[in-house]
Amino acid sequence: MEPTGPFAEWVRGRTGWSMSLGWAAAIERHAGDEDPLDVFFRLLDEYRLSAAEDR
C-alpha cells in the first residue's frame, strides 16, 4: 500500500514518481544534483499555489 495524503497525491500526479516509500524518499531519490530540501520547498510552493487556485 502506498502512503497517501493530499501532498503525496499531488506530487505523484505532478511528477509521476512512486510514493511507495513516501514523498520524502521520492524527493530524495529524484533530486539529482539538487539539494532535496530545495526540491521539497519548490514542490511545496507549487502545491500551495495550486491548492489556493482550487479554492
Side-chain angles (χ1 to χ4, degrees):
M1 174 182 266
E2 293 189 358
T4 60
F7 182 67
E9 291 174 13
W10 181 88
V11 170
R12 180 178 39 223
R14 162 84 170 66
T15 64
W17 299 342
S18 170
M19 294 291 122
S20 62
L21 297 176
W23 56 262
I27 290 171
E28 287 179 1
R29 192 173 4 182
H30 295 287
D33 293 336
E34 196 172 356
D35 183 338
L37 280 176
D38 291 338
V39 176
F40 165 72
F41 284 111
R42 185 179 68 246
L43 289 170
L44 183 61
D45 288 344
E46 290 179 29
Y47 171 73
R48 287 178 173 167
L49 283 174
S50 71
E53 291 173 355
D54 290 343
R55 291 181 187 169

